[in-house]
Amino acid sequence: MAASSNSSLSGSSVSSDAEEYQPPIWKSYLYQLQQEAPRPKRIICPREVENRPKYYGREFHGIISREQADELLGGVEGAYILRESQRQPGCYTLALRFGNQTLNYRLFHDGKHFVGEKRFESIHDLVTDGLITLYIETKAAEYISKMTTNPIYEHIGYATLLREKVSRRLSRSKNESRKTSVTNEEHTPVEKISSLVRRAALTHNDNHFNYEKTHNFKVHTFRGPHWCEYCANFMWGLIAQGVRCSDCGLNVHKQCSKHVPNDCQPDLKRIKKVYCCDLTTLVKAHNTQRPMVVDICIREIEARGLENIPYYGLKSEGLYRVSGFTEHIEDVKMAFDRDGEKADISANIYPDINIITGALKLYFRDLPIPVITYDTYSKFIEAAKISNADERLEAVHEVLMLLPPAHYETLRYLMIHLKKVTLNEKDNFMNAENLGIVFGPTLMRPPEDSTLTTLRDMRYQKLIVQILIENEDVLF
């Protein structure tokens, strides 16, 4: 079949109301091929086979040769049997008839059946999926190889038309999922969460902080027909037909995922918690410059210092060095995870400021990727080892430029705050060196989980944070 028989993205006329807009037409060629694929035909063994594995059925024929298996299949397309290897007893093979030849696959079972990456509950599902894949990849090899050349993802003309209406709705309720009805070439309605629409609306939102973020793609099994949101082609197979971004919900073929830009716009309803969430993911989901925990905690700490009460707020002795009650710090963490930016951490609820500083430090420690990222860790350590102060400062500045924008902004904001802490040293006894001791291992961790490396680098971690605090006005 020629690729020209498949419809490409059409430029439909659009009403001024975004609700009446007709999304692009999804390409049905691969869906049609899946419908045409051979169906599995189980060849049952007429006799009871001794020592048949309990997880195989009557399609198991015991120890037979390849030639015997070929004869049993009888040239019927889609016919299959299971057999035990003559050369390697205890090893099992799926013999499958496809393309006028018998194909033999080494068969495994670990609670599920598999011959490759995909794992199936039944042999029937494994064979069905295999026949679909073989048929489509045989009939449409050239078409599949060109799927990414003219992607819908790069030409979503409806993005501009939708942006004002969708942006207003997103600002009213960030948790509301948007759905759009899309139509394939045969005009069959398909209900689909439109992550493309969300991405387009957020991209054009003037209030959006445009930090680059890679998609967090994971293999996914789609129930019912699904089309790739990158190339607009059908996602074939019974299970693991493609990948889904666990942060924004984008659904694409595995091969298409390699071409998707780093423009993930996380959806709040997919972000289960605030602590332990990737920093860039969190700020993009909440459309903020920095993580809300950082802003709210620092704002609360500095606000308490405005009362001009000795040993309160920024003047509190041992600020960040003294620990608060662990149970209360966990309460603050749970409040942020549960209530987000509405979490109440005021002095009425938590009068001990060390609980707030402890919650902030815990947030940084819980980050899956530290504020000073694993990629830049060794460069910062090497910079700290430079003996000449001016050269060391220049080296630190160069490495700072390598941080992801959201990490850089968070570090900048924190250092401005810690500089204010040091300005109250006569009351709180916390200078830049003391804060470096506290925040060094909190803000930066070696990529390898090595106690020896951590101990060896501790003085350099402290020095880096000390340099950042003392020179925040120059470095940021």
Side-chain angles (χ1 to χ4, degrees):
M1 296 184 187
S4 59
S5 65
N6 305 285
S7 171
S8 60
L9 180 63
S10 65
S12 306
S13 60
V14 185
S15 139
S16 59
D17 189 337
E19 288 294 336
E20 297 178 16
Y21 179 72
Q22 295 299 313
I25 294 175
W26 303 96
K27 305 171 188 177
S28 64
Y29 175 46
L30 299 179
Y31 176 77
Q32 292 166 358
L33 286 184
Q34 174 159 311
Q35 299 303 103
E36 297 169 7
R39 299 291 184 265
K41 301 173 183 65
R42 184 172 71 146
I43 306 300
I44 294 175
C45 184
R47 59 185 174 80
E48 188 64 38
V49 179
E50 292 184 10
N51 300 321
R52 181 181 72 195
K54 62 182 179 181
Y55 40 81
Y56 294 146
R58 296 291 299 278
E59 70 275 6
F60 183 73
H61 288 250
I63 299 178
I64 60 174
S65 66
R66 287 192 173 204
E67 292 73 25
Q68 289 173 303
D70 191 43
E71 186 177 339
L72 286 168
L73 294 174
V76 179
E77 199 78 346
Y80 73 94
I81 66 167
L82 306 184
R83 65 182 180 86
E84 187 172 358
S85 172
Q86 284 184 319
R87 297 176 181 176
Q88 295 177 289
C91 295
Y92 304 101
T93 299
L94 165 67
L96 172 66
R97 193 73 185 173
F98 177 82
N100 297 320
Q101 58 180 322
T102 298
L103 306 175
N104 291 277
Y105 297 94
R106 179 78 176 272
L107 189 60
F108 301 92
H109 183 270
D110 62 356
K112 292 189 177 181
H113 304 279
F114 62 100
V115 297
E117 292 182 357
K118 294 184 178 183
R119 282 165 163 73
F120 300 84
E121 296 289 345
S122 69
I123 293 293
H124 181 272
D125 286 350
L126 184 152
V127 175
T128 302
D129 187 86
L131 287 169
I132 289 170
T133 302
L134 286 167
Y135 188 77
I136 288 178
E137 292 182 354
T138 299
K139 293 283 186 179
E142 184 178 356
Y143 181 87
I144 291 172
S145 70
K146 295 179 179 178
M147 283 195 311
T148 59
T149 56
N150 186 30
I152 173 183
Y153 199 84
E154 300 294 340
H155 305 286
I156 46 173
Y158 59 99
T160 304
L161 298 164
L162 284 174
R163 75 172 182 238
E164 289 185 6
K165 194 158 198 169
V166 178
S167 294
R168 285 198 299 272
R169 291 185 178 182
L170 284 169
S171 65
R172 283 202 302 269
S173 174
K174 291 185 179 181
N175 287 309
E176 179 183 347
S177 64
R178 282 193 46 83
K179 292 187 177 182
T180 184
S181 176
V182 298
T183 308
N184 66 14
E185 291 171 18
E186 295 171 335
H187 307 288
T188 306
V190 180
E191 277 298 300
K192 202 172 170 58
I193 294 176
S194 184
S195 56
L196 285 177
V197 174
R198 285 189 66 262
R199 179 178 65 84
L202 286 169
T203 300
H204 292 87
N205 186 343
D206 290 338
N207 296 322
H208 177 64
F209 297 102
N210 193 24
Y211 294 144
E212 184 177 274
K213 181 190 176 319
T214 58
H215 289 271
N216 186 18
F217 286 121
K218 295 179 180 177
V219 175
H220 190 78
T221 293
F222 300 94
R223 304 301 176 190
H226 267 72
W227 274 256
C228 175
E229 294 179 58
Y230 182 79
C231 71
N233 280 289
F234 179 66
M235 302 168 80
W236 65 90
L238 284 191
I239 69 168
Q241 303 97 326
V243 294
R244 167 176 286 175
C245 177
S246 60
D247 294 333
C248 72
L250 184 70
N251 303 319
V252 296
H253 292 110
K254 187 176 181 180
Q255 58 266 47
C256 290
S257 68
K258 301 170 185 174
H259 301 274
V260 176
N262 296 334
D263 61 352
C264 177
Q265 304 288 355
D267 190 349
L268 265 179
K269 67 183 177 64
R270 296 179 181 276
I271 307 301
K272 304 301 181 186
K273 52 189 177 180
V274 173
Y275 278 66
C276 302
C277 177
D278 172 69
L279 193 153
T280 303
T281 299
L282 188 70
V283 298
K284 285 184 76 72
H286 287 271
N287 195 23
T288 56
Q289 281 185 290
R290 297 169 296 274
M292 68 171 79
V293 178
V294 177
D295 275 4
I296 294 173
C297 286
I298 288 179
R299 201 158 53 232
E300 178 65 25
I301 293 164
E302 294 185 357
R304 294 191 189 187
L306 297 177
E307 281 85 354
N308 204 26
I309 303 172
Y311 311 112
Y312 192 65
L314 292 174
K315 299 177 184 294
S316 180
E317 184 176 339
L319 189 66
Y320 285 111
R321 178 177 55 78
V322 177
S323 299
F325 287 112
T326 303
E327 183 180 339
H328 293 165
I329 292 172
E330 285 294 326
D331 285 344
V332 173
K333 173 182 176 180
M334 288 173 61
F336 277 117
D337 283 341
R338 182 184 63 246
D339 304 325
E341 58 192 15
K342 295 180 180 178
D344 185 357
I345 62 168
S346 64
N348 293 332
I349 308 297
Y350 301 104
D352 182 3
I353 198 169
N354 297 312
I355 294 169
I356 309 306
T357 58
L360 180 59
K361 289 187 292 181
L362 179 61
Y363 171 75
F364 288 130
R365 286 198 302 273
D366 279 355
L367 284 172
I369 300 175
V371 175
I372 292 178
T373 61
Y374 294 126
D375 290 342
T376 59
Y377 179 86
S378 61
K379 294 182 178 67
F380 272 108
I381 296 299
E382 290 306 310
K385 293 178 180 178
I386 298 174
S387 56
N388 182 280
D390 291 337
E391 292 178 6
R392 183 171 58 219
L393 194 64
E394 182 62 32
V396 169
H397 181 261
E398 288 179 6
V399 185
L400 276 175
M401 296 300 101
L402 301 178
L403 287 174
H407 287 245
Y408 176 91
E409 170 58 25
T410 301
L411 189 62
R412 182 193 70 81
Y413 189 72
L414 176 64
M415 292 305 119
I416 292 173
H417 166 66
L418 294 181
K419 186 66 171 285
K420 293 177 184 176
V421 174
T422 65
L423 296 178
N424 291 274
E425 182 189 350
K426 63 182 176 57
D427 294 312
N428 60 36
F429 302 106
M430 295 300 290
N431 57 25
E433 183 178 3
N434 292 336
L435 289 169
I437 294 170
V438 173
F439 278 94
T442 301
L443 297 176
M444 56 194 303
R445 303 190 297 271
E448 67 281 2
D449 188 14
S450 167
T451 305
L452 185 62
T453 303
T454 302
L455 291 172
R456 183 192 65 206
D457 293 346
M458 197 169 289
R459 64 188 176 120
Y460 300 116
Q461 293 173 350
K462 180 214 72 172
L463 182 57
I464 286 297
V465 174
Q466 181 180 342
I467 290 170
L468 293 175
I469 295 171
E470 291 174 342
N471 302 278
E472 58 83 17
D473 55 335
V474 175
L475 289 171
F476 294 96

